[in-house]
Amino acid sequence: MSAPRLVVHRDKELMAQAAAARLITTIVDAQAARGSASVVLTGGRNGNGLLAALGSSPARDAIDWSRLDLWWGDERFLPEGDPDRNDTQARAALLDAVPLDPTRVHTMPVSGGAYGTDADAAAAAYAEELATAARAGDGAPAGVSTDAAVPAFDVLMLGVGPDTHVASLFPEHPALRETERTVVGVHGAPKPPPTRVSLTFRAIRAAREVWLLAAGEDKAKAAATALSGAGELQAPAAGAYGLDRTLWLLDAAAASELPRSLYSPASP
């Protein structure tokens, strides 16, 4: 478990650009050290804003896209190509414009596909895909039991919702109490669509680095709550942390209810 470090930027545009630069550096370093990199993407305006900023960065070609594994932290359980799916939005923001190896882009199952409308079966299939990748040699980092059955994610990104939810783990939702499975079907989510697939804390906490993204005034209370010592059942963002590093990347609006003593000035 790593203590959270906060970095606050002037506005959401600068935050997206700086986060993209940070991600490029992290991926390049991981590829240099281990031959490949593994990143978990998040959706929403901040996750997609980061991907768009990465796509427009002249440094994006420093990444060997063919040696990058992409996963998702959660997904809306909707048909393939639905504009509300996180993978659809990620493709539009960046993925369709870079030379990824399609076999290393691990999208979550779609509704109406191989698992029909069964989100629990879809979650179990994604968990097995994670376990297969872990068994192939990209196992959990030191300090995490090998039965965690997830790859050693270099970076796992999470958007923070106004209610403090991360991935599709909502306050007081039963999915927060899952300790055995790495992926779950989420039913009755408090925001549409109600049916989703999500990583659990068990999978999230196996990542080397967890980055929480929050920008905008509507995220200020969530950031203040999660960083004030609230429990993870009431504030799921408080329960998201990485093994080596936990970064909160915010803009000034999202940090407006935090005491300045908590965060450091933004740096490239």
Side-chain angles (χ1 to χ4, degrees):
M1 175 180 178
S2 57
R5 175 191 168 206
L6 283 65
V7 180
V8 180
H9 297 276
R10 182 183 63 243
D11 53 46
K12 65 180 180 181
E13 290 79 13
L14 185 57
M15 186 192 90
Q17 293 165 8
R22 187 185 294 272
L23 183 59
I24 291 169
T25 298
T26 304
I27 291 172
V28 170
D29 287 349
Q31 290 179 335
R34 293 180 288 277
S36 64
S38 182
V39 173
V40 181
L41 301 180
T42 186
R45 66 174 189 253
N46 293 318
N48 292 324
L50 185 157
L51 292 181
L54 196 161
S56 62
S57 170
R60 80 177 199 185
D61 292 335
I63 294 173
D64 184 342
W65 295 97
S66 69
R67 294 190 292 129
L68 176 65
D69 282 283
L70 294 178
W71 304 86
W72 270 261
D74 75 318
E75 187 57 273
R76 299 169 175 91
F77 195 52
L78 296 168
E80 183 175 3
D82 190 288
D84 286 336
R85 278 183 61 91
N86 289 332
D87 66 336
T88 304
Q89 296 172 9
R91 291 184 187 281
L94 173 68
L95 305 192
D96 285 345
V98 292
L100 292 159
D101 177 349
T103 66
R104 303 182 81 156
V105 179
H106 307 275
T107 56
M108 287 183 164
V110 299
S111 173
Y115 309 100
T117 58
D118 189 343
D120 295 320
Y126 203 66
E128 180 55 32
E129 188 171 356
L130 287 163
T132 298
R135 289 192 294 266
D138 192 20
V144 174
S145 171
T146 55
D147 66 3
V150 295
F153 306 127
D154 291 292
V155 176
L156 186 149
M157 294 184 288
L158 297 166
V160 180
D163 61 353
T164 73
H165 82 266
V166 290
S168 284
L169 303 176
F170 294 91
E172 305 290 352
H173 196 279
L176 291 169
R177 302 180 185 275
E178 178 59 52
T179 59
E180 297 299 322
R181 291 176 292 176
T182 56
V183 190
V184 291
V186 175
H187 305 276
K191 61 180 293 188
T195 305
R196 298 156 175 256
V197 176
S198 180
L199 298 189
T200 64
F201 279 142
R202 181 173 183 175
I204 289 168
R205 293 169 181 167
R208 292 184 173 96
E209 298 193 16
V210 169
W211 299 1
L212 297 104
L213 312 176
E217 293 180 1
D218 61 327
K219 305 297 179 71
K221 184 173 180 59
T225 299
L227 290 163
S228 67
E232 63 192 42
L233 294 180
Q234 295 74 36
Y241 48 80
L243 285 173
D244 298 333
R245 178 179 294 179
T246 304
L247 284 178
W248 279 74
L249 305 177
L250 308 102
D251 72 351
S256 61
E257 296 188 22
L258 292 168
R260 292 189 65 85
S261 60
L262 283 181
Y263 58 86
S264 58
S267 57

